[in-house]
Amino acid sequence: MSLGAITGMWLAGIFLQMILVGILVYRGLWRRFPVFTIYLLANILLTSGVYVVRHVAGESATYFYFYFYGLSKTLGLTLGLGAIFEVFSHLLTPYPTLKKPAMLACSCTVLVLAAAGTLLVYSQPSTDPASLMLPFLKAEEAVRILQVGLVVFLCVFAGFFRLHWRQTEFGIALGMGIFAAVDLVAVGLGAYYGEIARLPTAMLALLAFDSALVIWLAYLMPARVRRWSEQGA
């Protein structure tokens, strides 16, 4: 296991996200899923920024890197959560009496998580770089638990929402759920074992995200391409 393998997986993820954004724009699905589209675009830009700061600026930008990493994580988690809420919004459209209170509850949840994350950051007395990561790990665990819970809820009540496994909404939720569940395990292992688990957990999280990207690609690619792929298999 090496940094080269992790970099390769990261670059593969960037490439897949660029393809996904292209498909969303080409098919006009960005109008239907604007938050999901922004999530992919933001992830491309922010992770690229993190990589540049980490490997170009070097040790001189250590503290800037941690805060920039925290900012990118916060935005990524918020947009990822927003993408799941976007799926719920589409599914609740036929039920106007349920949609408003459900969306209000989702908005309150995001505000509470944002406030909790801010409190965790400012409650850290130490200036050691390792301890600065702790608030972000705690906030990430909280959001991942919420994401997994929402996706499990969606799967359990799929019949009520009249959700078919071939629907785009199901694909987005499934990819988010798989990534959130595996990343939750990776964050937990990283928090428990510390520096010794940094590379394995980073690879595990990247593998989960790349798997989610493949799922989204399978659901979002044009139908003609899917049929051609199935015939060629």
Side-chain angles (χ1 to χ4, degrees):
M1 186 179 300
S2 65
L3 288 173
I6 292 178
T7 302
M9 295 173 67
W10 173 78
L11 290 174
I14 293 292
F15 179 69
L16 290 174
Q17 287 176 92
M18 293 175 66
I19 294 177
L20 280 169
V21 171
I23 292 175
L24 287 165
V25 173
Y26 173 75
R27 298 188 62 191
L29 291 174
W30 66 271
R31 297 185 184 90
R32 185 179 177 188
F33 302 106
V35 178
F36 181 63
T37 304
I38 294 173
Y39 167 75
L40 293 174
L41 285 171
N43 196 64
I44 293 172
L45 296 174
L46 291 172
T47 54
S48 300
V50 169
Y51 181 84
V52 170
V53 171
R54 181 64 171 176
H55 295 277
V56 176
E59 296 296 328
S60 61
T62 299
Y63 289 104
F64 176 75
Y65 163 76
F66 279 112
Y67 283 110
F68 186 80
Y69 175 83
L71 174 63
S72 66
K73 272 291 184 182
T74 301
L75 289 175
L77 291 169
T78 302
L79 289 171
L81 200 58
I84 295 180
F85 292 158
E86 187 172 62
V87 169
F88 269 90
S89 178
H90 284 293
L91 297 177
L92 289 170
T93 299
Y95 313 98
T97 56
L98 294 176
K99 185 174 182 178
K100 188 173 181 179
M103 291 299 102
L104 179 61
C106 290
S107 300
C108 291
T109 301
V110 171
L111 291 175
V112 170
L113 286 171
T118 303
L119 181 63
L120 284 171
V121 170
Y122 284 102
S123 65
Q124 294 297 309
S126 175
T127 58
D128 180 68
S131 66
L132 290 173
M133 292 298 297
L134 186 59
F136 303 122
L137 292 175
K138 290 180 179 179
E140 186 172 6
E141 283 184 311
V143 174
R144 294 304 183 208
I145 290 172
L146 181 57
Q147 285 179 322
V148 172
L150 288 172
V151 173
V152 170
F153 174 84
L154 183 63
C155 293
V156 170
F157 291 94
F160 175 78
F161 290 120
R162 299 175 185 175
L163 181 64
H164 193 272
W165 68 271
R166 290 187 178 182
Q167 286 181 250
T168 304
E169 288 85 356
F170 185 86
I172 293 175
L174 179 63
M176 283 286 183
I178 291 175
F179 170 55
V182 177
D183 192 55
L184 179 62
V185 173
V187 170
L189 291 174
Y192 185 80
Y193 290 103
E195 183 65 20
I196 194 173
R198 184 171 64 89
L199 288 179
T201 54
M203 180 167 284
L204 182 63
L206 282 171
L207 181 62
F209 186 64
D210 286 353
S211 299
L213 292 174
V214 172
I215 292 173
W216 295 333
L217 189 62
Y219 273 86
L220 292 171
M221 71 171 57
R224 286 181 298 176
V225 177
R226 285 201 301 267
R227 286 197 295 268
W228 180 82
S229 300
E230 291 170 357
Q231 291 172 358

